[in-house]
C-alpha cells in the first residue's frame, strides 16, 4: 500500500504514520511538501509502484474485503484489459437528503451506464474512488498524462477520465466490475455538490473532445462500434439535450399552466428507470429518492452543463 499525503493541513499524515507503525512492511508513506493536486499525488504513487496491477482509491473511500480480489480478476482472464472501474456507492447515507439521492444516481450510473459500456469493452471513465490499471500501460502513458493541457493551461481536473482515454487509445479494453464495491463520502450541501458536478462536467467536455480525436480511427483490434456509439450519445447529451432543455424552460415560462404537469410527467418517467433498477439490485424502496432528485435537478442543477460548456477552460 502506497499512501500519499498531498500536503494536507488536517491530521491525515498522523493517521498514515499510525498505519505505518502497525504494518511497517506493507505501507509506504509519502508526504508531499505542499498541495499539488490529485494528478501529481497519483503520479508520485505510480512512480513508486512496482506491481503488475495498480489500484487507486480515494482517502474518503472504503472498500469491501473482497473488492481487491474482484477488481483484479478481469486482468487475469484477458490480457487486452487495461483498466477496470470499481462500483462506487455512497458511504454517508445518513447525513442528509443529497447523499440518499446520490446513491440512487450512482447505482444507475454504474450498474446501468458503465455496465452497458463494459459490454462493448469501452467504459469511458474509470472513477478516482476505485479503479485498477495494468501497470505497464500506465507507465507508458504517464509522461503524456501528467503533461496534459487544455487551451494551453495544465489540466488539473479529470485525471481519471484522462487516464481512461489514454488507455483506450493504446488499444486496451476498459471494463466495469459490478461486485468490486467502494463506498465514498459525497457532498451534503448544495454548494459543494455544485462544485463537484461542475468539475465533472468540465472534465467530461474536455475528455469527450479528446476521445473524439481518436475514436473514429482504428484505435484497437476488434469491434469499435460500441465505443463510437457511446461517444456520439455523450455528444448528444452535451449538445442536443441542452437545446431541448432550453426549449423546455422557454415553454414553461410562456405557458406554465400547460407545461408544469408535462414536465413532472417527464421527470417521473425518467426517474422510474432508476427506481426500478435500484429495487431490482438492492431489494429496497430507497430508489424512490430518484423522483425527488429529478425535481431537484430540474430546479437547482440544470445549469451545470450549460455553464461548463461556457467555461471548460477553468480548473476550479
Amino acid at each position: 500500500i502506497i499512501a500519499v499525503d498531498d500536503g494536507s493541513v488536517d491530521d491525515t499524515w498522523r493517521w498514515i504514520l499510525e498505519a505505518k507503525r502497525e504494518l511497517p512492511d506493507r505501507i509506504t508513506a509519502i508526504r508531499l511538501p505542499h498541495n499539488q493536486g490529485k494528478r501529481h499525488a497519483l503520479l508520485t504513487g505510480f512512480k513508486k509502484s512496482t506491481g503488475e496491477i495498480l489500484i487507486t482509491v480515494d482517502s474518503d473511500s472504503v472498500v469491501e474485503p473482497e473488492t481487491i480480489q474482484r477488481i483484479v480478476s478481469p486482468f487475469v482472464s484477458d490480457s487486452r484489459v487495461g483498466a477496470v472501474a470499481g462500483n462506487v456507492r455512497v458511504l454517508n447515507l445518513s447525513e442528509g437528503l443529497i447523499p440518499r439521492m446520490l446513491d440512487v444516481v450512482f447505482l444507475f450510473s454504474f450498474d446501468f451506464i458503465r455496465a452497458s459500456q463494459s459490454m462493448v469493452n469501452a467504459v469511458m471513465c474509470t472513477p478516482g474512488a476505485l479503479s485498477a490499471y495494468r501497470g505497464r500501460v500506465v507507465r507508458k502513458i504517464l509522461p503524456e498524462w501528467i503533461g496534459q493541457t487544455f487551451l494551453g493551461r495544465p489540466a488539473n481536473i479529470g485525471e481519471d477520465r484522462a487516464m481512461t482515454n489514454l488507455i483506450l487509445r493504446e488499444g486496451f479494453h476498459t471494463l466495469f466490475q459490478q461486485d468490486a464495491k467502494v463506498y465514498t463520502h459525497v457532498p451534503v450541501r448544495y454548494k459543494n455538490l455544485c462544485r463537484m458536478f461542475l468539475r465533472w462536467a468540465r472534465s467530461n467536455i474536455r475528455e469527450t473532445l479528446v476521445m473524439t480525436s481518436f475514436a473514429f480511427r482504428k484505435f484497437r483490434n476488434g469491434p469499435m462500434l460500441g465505443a463510437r456509439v457511446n461517444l456520439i450519445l455523450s455528444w448528444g447529451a452535451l449538445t442536443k439535450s441542452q437545446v431541448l432543455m432550453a426549449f423546455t424552460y422557454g415553454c414553461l415560462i410562456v405557458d406554465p399552466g400547460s407545461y408544469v404537469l408535462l414536465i413532472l410527467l417527464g421527470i417521473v418517467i425518467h426517474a422510474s428507470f432508476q427506481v426500478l433498477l435500484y429495487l431490482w439490485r438492492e431489494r429496497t424502496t430507497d430508489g424512490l429518492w430518484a423522483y425527488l432528485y429529478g425535481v431537484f435537478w430540474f430546479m437547482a442543477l440544470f445549469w451545470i452543463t450549460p455553464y461548463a460548456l461556457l467555461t471548460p477552460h477553468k480548473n476550479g
Side-chain angles (χ1 to χ4, degrees), residues 140-156:
K140 178 181 178 181
I141 63 178
L142 267 185
E144 184 176 357
W145 177 73
I146 196 62
Q148 184 186 29
T149 60
F150 183 78
L151 297 179
R153 301 173 62 185
N156 295 330

Side-chain angles (χ1 to χ4, degrees), residues 194-231:
C194 290
R195 286 177 176 173
M196 182 183 77
F197 278 165
L198 190 55
R199 187 174 67 249
W200 290 359
R202 286 173 175 152
S203 169
N204 182 43
I205 293 165
R206 296 180 184 190
E207 296 305 324
T208 298
L209 288 168
V210 171
M211 187 174 179
T212 303
S213 69
F214 68 83
F216 296 97
R217 305 197 310 263
K218 185 174 174 56
F219 63 93
R220 71 181 180 198
N221 296 322
M224 293 172 283
L225 179 61
R228 291 166 178 168
V229 168
N230 282 322
L231 177 61

Side-chain angles (χ1 to χ4, degrees), residues 9 62 73 117 133 171 184 188 214 218 256 279 281 290 304 308 311:
V9 295
V62 179
S73 61
Q117 293 174 354
Y133 304 101
T184 191
V188 297
F214 68 83
K218 185 174 174 56
L279 177 63
R281 287 292 194 190
I304 295 286
T311 60

Side-chain angles (χ1 to χ4, degrees), residues 34-50:
H34 58 87
N35 183 269
Q36 301 177 45
K38 186 177 177 183
R39 193 176 298 227
H40 284 274
L42 284 170
L43 175 68
T44 303
F46 285 146
K47 284 185 173 180
K48 192 72 174 179
S49 67
T50 58

Side-chain angles (χ1 to χ4, degrees), residues 54-73:
L54 311 180
I55 300 172
T56 63
V57 63
D58 284 345
S59 60
D60 60 356
S61 303
V62 179
V63 298
E64 292 182 343
E66 301 86 1
T67 288
I68 302 302
Q69 178 181 353
R70 289 168 176 171
I71 201 169
V72 301
S73 61

Side-chain angles (χ1 to χ4, degrees), residues 50 65 72 81 99 104 115-116 124 132 135 155 169 171 175 185 234 240 282 291 296 301:
T50 58
V72 301
V81 175
V104 184
S116 66
M124 295 174 69
R169 193 197 64 188
L175 304 180
H185 276 271
S234 182
K240 174 180 65 69
E282 300 297 312
Y291 293 121
F296 176 61
L301 297 174

Side-chain angles (χ1 to χ4, degrees), residues 2-311:
I2 302 172
V4 183
D5 179 349
D6 185 25
S8 63
V9 295
D10 57 12
D11 60 351
T12 296
W13 183 241
R14 179 169 70 86
W15 287 106
I16 290 177
L17 293 180
E18 181 93 4
K20 175 73 174 175
R21 281 191 291 269
E22 291 186 20
L23 301 168
D25 298 328
R26 296 189 183 184
I27 294 178
T28 299
I30 301 173
R31 189 180 196 183
L32 302 184
H34 58 87
N35 183 269
Q36 301 177 45
K38 186 177 177 183
R39 193 176 298 227
H40 284 274
L42 284 170
L43 175 68
T44 303
F46 285 146
K47 284 185 173 180
K48 192 72 174 179
S49 67
T50 58
E52 182 181 349
I53 305 299
L54 311 180
I55 300 172
T56 63
V57 63
D58 284 345
S59 60
D60 60 356
S61 303
V62 179
V63 298
E64 292 182 343
E66 301 86 1
T67 288
I68 302 302
Q69 178 181 353
R70 289 168 176 171
I71 201 169
V72 301
S73 61
F75 295 96
V76 179
S77 57
D78 190 347
S79 62
R80 296 171 298 177
V81 175
V84 177
N87 193 354
V88 183
R89 300 296 298 277
V90 173
L91 181 63
N92 53 327
L93 284 172
S94 62
E95 295 184 9
L97 292 178
I98 289 178
R100 289 181 179 275
M101 292 189 293
L102 286 183
D103 192 54
V104 184
V105 175
F106 278 19
L107 186 140
F108 185 78
S109 175
F110 284 88
D111 282 34
F112 182 77
I113 296 177
R114 278 177 176 79
S116 66
Q117 293 174 354
S118 188
M119 295 285 287
V120 295
N121 303 316
V123 169
M124 295 174 69
C125 182
T126 51
L130 176 69
S131 291
Y133 304 101
R134 195 172 293 278
R136 61 182 175 86
V137 183
V138 170
R139 296 180 183 105
K140 178 181 178 181
I141 63 178
L142 267 185
E144 184 176 357
W145 177 73
I146 196 62
Q148 184 186 29
T149 60
F150 183 78
L151 297 179
R153 301 173 62 185
N156 295 330
I157 60 174
E159 71 289 328
D160 48 3
R161 179 81 187 270
M163 178 70 74
T164 311
N165 263 339
L166 291 172
I167 291 173
L168 280 170
R169 193 197 64 188
E170 289 297 310
F172 288 88
H173 295 175
T174 56
L175 304 180
F176 166 64
Q177 189 72 2
Q178 192 272 335
D179 59 359
K181 291 185 178 180
V182 59
Y183 301 88
T184 191
H185 276 271
V186 298
V188 297
R189 297 172 57 196
Y190 173 71
K191 183 178 181 180
N192 295 335
L193 179 68
C194 290
R195 286 177 176 173
M196 182 183 77
F197 278 165
L198 190 55
R199 187 174 67 249
W200 290 359
R202 286 173 175 152
S203 169
N204 182 43
I205 293 165
R206 296 180 184 190
E207 296 305 324
T208 298
L209 288 168
V210 171
M211 187 174 179
T212 303
S213 69
F214 68 83
F216 296 97
R217 305 197 310 263
K218 185 174 174 56
F219 63 93
R220 71 181 180 198
N221 296 322
M224 293 172 283
L225 179 61
R228 291 166 178 168
V229 168
N230 282 322
L231 177 61
I232 292 170
L233 290 173
S234 182
W235 272 116
L238 289 173
T239 54
K240 174 180 65 69
S241 295
Q242 305 312 309
V243 174
L244 293 175
M245 281 300 299
F247 275 110
T248 300
Y249 283 101
C251 292
L252 186 60
I253 292 171
V254 172
D255 190 0
S258 299
Y259 282 97
V260 166
L261 291 179
L262 288 174
I263 290 170
L264 287 175
L265 177 61
I267 290 173
V268 168
I269 292 172
H270 181 268
S272 292
F273 290 102
Q274 299 178 349
V275 172
L276 292 173
L277 180 65
Y278 200 94
L279 177 63
W280 178 42
R281 287 292 194 190
E282 300 297 312
R283 296 295 189 267
T284 75
T285 58
D286 289 347
L288 293 172
W289 289 108
Y291 293 121
L292 180 61
Y293 180 78
V295 176
F296 176 61
W297 181 90
F298 187 82
M299 296 178 63
L301 297 174
F302 67 92
W303 60 273
I304 295 286
T305 299
Y307 184 63
L309 285 167
L310 294 174
T311 60

